[in-house]
């Protein structure tokens, strides 16, 4: 029996989301613990993210956190989803990933994004402006040059030069075209907006130029997946993140995750309610059979080689149970084929 699920890889991006009543340091330790758990479940990669000055996210130094994750695991690939290249000098990024690859050879991925700080204050603190994202393609080319030793400066990146750290481009807006021109694997989301995602994938495949990093297009689709014993329990996993996103879009600050019970008792303005309900709609959530059906559909529609799951919630037990159930889906399909 043919199965898109059986031929796809399944990976995890954890953003170290903070939770009400829990310190930020706990969120980072939770990320490392989750990496160990999903490694045991058979996931392919575990990535961490970069956010600055965000109350709801503790992950501000992705290469540092990736080192902790790699040290706590033994087989799973570890990387970033992603390092926001406009925030950094490419040489420094190359050196950081060179150190990671030297310490954990053959396990490190370099996921790269083109976003800058979320607010004017953060951008000022980073010494960056919105226009810095416009130079992403050149920054990417410079970064890859440090690994190949082609910098015109005469400087050599140590220990990065000569090492092979697979680069991925997070495709938001211009990212798909940049990934295609550079001949790099692409990560694209979100699963709720299939038409936009499919347009980006089509553009990427049509414009892809083979490179030393990738001979053929490689598509990773990303988004939230929640699996539970009942559809109602799966929906509850989505509630804290949906509310936090709604709050961020109506108030301009991204807060720690609240418990689902508290969210359901909160008064909301019409705008907040609309944003909240939108965050709950269209996600891949349900029982194992329901999610397996949806996964098969989206993987066939996109032709993606990999799914990067980005689920966050307040209840860590429910989150781990969701990842266990999802692992049962892809391991069962693999055994059948």
């Amino acid at each position: 029996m043919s199965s898109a699920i059986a031929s796809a890889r399944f990976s995890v991006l954890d953003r170290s989301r903070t939770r009400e009543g829990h310190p930020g340091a706990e969120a980072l330790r939770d990320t490392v613990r989750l990496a160990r758990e999903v490694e045991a479940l058979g996931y392919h990669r575990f990535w961490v993210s970069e956010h600055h000055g965000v109350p709801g996210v503790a992950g501000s130094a992705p290469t540092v956190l990736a080192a902790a994750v790699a040290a706590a695991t033994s087989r799973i690939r570890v990387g970033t989803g992603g390092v926001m290249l406009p925030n950094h000098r490419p040489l420094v990024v190359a050196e950081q990933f060179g150190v990671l690859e030297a310490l954990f050879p053959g396990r490190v991925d370099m996921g790269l994004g083109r976003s800058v700080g979320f607010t004017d204050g953060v951008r000022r603190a980073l010494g960056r402006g919105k226009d810095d994202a416009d130079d992403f393609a050149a920054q990417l080319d410079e970064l890859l040059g440090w690994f190949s030793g082609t910098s015109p400066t005469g400087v050599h990146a140590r220990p990065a030069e000569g090492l092979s750290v697979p680069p991925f481009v997070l495709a938001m807006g211009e990212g798909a075209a940049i990934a295609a021109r550079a001949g790099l694997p692409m990560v694209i989301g979100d699963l709720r907006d299939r038409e936009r995602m499919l347009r980006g994938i089509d553009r990427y495949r049509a414009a892809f130029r083979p490179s030393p990093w990738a001979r053929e297009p490689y598509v990773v689709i990303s988004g939230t997946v929640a699996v539970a014993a009942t559809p109602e329990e799966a929906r509850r996993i989505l509630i804290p993140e949906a509310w936090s996103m709604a709050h961020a879009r109506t108030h301009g600050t991204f807060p720690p995750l609240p418990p689902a019970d508290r969210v359901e008792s909160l008064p909301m303005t019409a705008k907040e309610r609309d944003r909240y309900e939108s965050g709950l709609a269209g996600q891949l959530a349900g029982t194992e059979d329901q999610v397996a059906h949806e996964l098969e559909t989206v993987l066939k529609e996109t032709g993606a080689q990999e799914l990067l799951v980005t689920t966050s919630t307040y209840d860590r037990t429910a989150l781990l149970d969701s990842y266990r159930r999802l692992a049962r889906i892809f391991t069962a399909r693999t055994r059948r084929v």
Side-chain angles (χ1 to χ4, degrees), residues 9 24 52 59 89 107 110 112 116 119-120 171 200 210 229 251 303 306:
R9 291 166 166 165
H52 300 283
R89 292 302 308 164
R107 293 180 56 206
M110 183 169 58
L112 305 162
V116 291
T119 65
D120 289 339
H251 298 275
E306 189 168 341

Side-chain angles (χ1 to χ4, degrees), residues 2 48 82 89 118 124 165 225 241 249 251 306 314 329:
S2 175
V48 296
R89 292 302 308 164
F118 181 63
R124 285 195 301 272
V165 181
V225 181
E241 181 78 1
R249 288 171 179 163
H251 298 275
E306 189 168 341
Y314 181 90
I329 293 172

Side-chain angles (χ1 to χ4, degrees), residues 62-78:
T63 54
V64 176
L65 184 53
V69 168
T73 55
S74 59
R75 299 181 309 278
I76 197 167
R77 297 196 63 86
V78 176

Side-chain angles (χ1 to χ4, degrees), residues 169 175-184 186 203-210:
V169 172
I178 292 170
R181 287 195 299 269
L184 300 180
M186 176 186 72
R203 286 195 301 271
Y204 167 70
R205 290 197 174 114
F208 184 86
R209 299 190 304 203

Side-chain angles (χ1 to χ4, degrees), residues 100-122:
L100 284 171
E101 176 63 21
L103 291 172
F104 308 101
R107 293 180 56 206
V108 176
D109 299 322
M110 183 169 58
L112 305 162
R114 64 188 295 270
S115 297
V116 291
F118 181 63
T119 65
D120 289 339
V122 170

Side-chain angles (χ1 to χ4, degrees), residues 81-92:
V83 165
M84 296 301 143
L85 196 50
N87 291 338
H88 311 279
R89 292 302 308 164
L91 170 61
V92 175

